[in-house]
Amino acid sequence: MEKREGRFNFITWFRGMWVSHPLFSTFCALVLMIILQTIALGFDQGSFSRWFAIWSRNWINILRNNATIGIISLGMTFVIITGGIDLAVGSTLVAIGAIIMVFIDSSATGLLTAIGITGVPSYLIGIIIGLIAGVILGEFTGILITIGKLPPFIATLGMMKICRSVTQQCMQTLNPQVPREFTQIANLSIGGQMFMPIIYWLAIAFIMYMISKHTAFGRHVFAVGSNERASRLSGINVERVKRTVYAIMGLLVGCAAVLQVSRIGAMDYANAGSGYEMDAIAAVIVGGTSMAGGRGSISGTILGVLIIAVMNNLLNLIGVPPFLREAFKGFIVIAAVLLQKKEKA
């Protein structure tokens, strides 16, 4: 009887935690994914040290390859918490990447090279201008939503089309060359491994976490998402909060663009960033952030990014065709939203 009672209590506790604590359920889902991924890697490497080396290398690759999406997802968390959405992140990344490449171009036709500015000074100028461009584009989106009264879906859909098409038009006759030194921003080797993208992601995640938990602005973001009318009546400048959130989104896309350019050393203006908006939204939702706004966390988003990343790696390991992998991602998003509805019930 005691064993039955203990078992019953554990099941009740586990069910209660799963339903009422989104982070707990997200963490459990991640643990399950990691177990399946570990099994898929196999255990026939001959020795534990060799197996652990392969397992560790696989994880480093997963984290490095998803650092760009991870950074964008952090900004998307704030956007969705306020009840908005941003479909323009992929196209904005391309536009900012093109701006950065024009300024750091090391060829004879380079914008700064022509006036004698090269090396680190040109890199700093390119990065700063790229980040400023991201803030401006994000702020403009926020103005369309707050002053122009456009729904976030429409405003960001329009920006998505504008940014990519204008970038493609402007870069038709340009072929900027990314200096090899600039690629060290993302590809610098530490102990034989390229950890820098992971370090950038975790550092930005820490900053965003502190903003969300320990600043008045962070509390205002949640308040606006929970009840916009009540927030306005309590003295919160709702329009300014929304504009700031989209400006932060633009800034983080700028950071992701720097990482993308330095990691790859080029930019495909037609295809780069394609689908990033869906990946970021999926990671945020899987991480427990409510599409209705007012609820979510940076911690949950990090777990959500890891779940999507591990799932993609697992599907690759077991040989699932690339076209079907997006279907699995869709199933996970649908399941996450259904769980959110069940929590409310």
Side-chain angles (χ1 to χ4, degrees), residues 100-120:
I100 293 170
M101 288 174 66
V102 166
F103 279 93
I104 67 172
D105 184 6
S106 59
S107 67
T109 58
L111 190 63
L112 294 179
T113 304
I115 58 176
I117 301 177
T118 59
V120 175

Side-chain angles (χ1 to χ4, degrees), residues 110-270:
L111 190 63
L112 294 179
T113 304
I115 58 176
I117 301 177
T118 59
V120 175
S122 68
Y123 306 158
L124 290 175
I125 293 172
I127 291 172
I128 292 170
I129 291 178
L131 296 181
I132 291 173
V135 172
I136 291 172
L137 289 172
E139 181 73 20
F140 182 69
T141 300
I143 289 172
L144 291 176
I145 293 168
T146 56
I147 298 178
K149 304 299 181 184
L150 290 178
F153 181 90
I154 299 300
T156 58
L157 180 63
M159 288 297 292
M160 177 178 71
K161 298 296 184 182
I162 292 169
C163 288
R164 191 176 292 275
S165 61
V166 170
T167 301
Q168 287 179 280
Q169 177 64 32
C170 293
M171 299 301 289
Q172 279 187 105
T173 58
L174 298 176
N175 186 27
Q177 297 177 12
V178 177
R180 190 167 186 174
E181 294 81 5
F182 188 82
T183 63
Q184 292 301 299
I185 293 175
N187 298 323
L188 179 67
S189 180
I190 302 175
Q193 297 290 343
M194 291 181 285
F195 290 111
M196 295 311 295
I198 305 170
I199 293 172
Y200 299 141
W201 176 28
L202 294 179
I204 294 172
F206 176 76
I207 294 170
M208 293 294 287
Y209 175 83
M210 295 302 290
I211 291 173
S212 67
K213 293 292 186 181
H214 301 288
T215 67
F217 173 75
R219 291 189 291 273
H220 292 170
V221 168
F222 283 92
V224 169
S226 297
N227 191 320
E228 189 172 313
R229 183 171 180 273
S231 298
R232 187 173 280 107
L233 291 174
S234 65
I236 296 174
N237 189 329
V238 173
E239 285 71 25
R240 185 171 64 187
V241 169
K242 286 186 176 182
R243 289 199 306 271
T244 304
V245 163
Y246 281 95
I248 291 173
M249 180 79 258
L251 177 64
L252 294 187
V253 172
C255 294
V258 174
L259 188 58
Q260 186 93 335
V261 171
S262 62
R263 184 164 167 260
I264 300 174
M267 181 72 74
D268 180 355
Y269 309 114

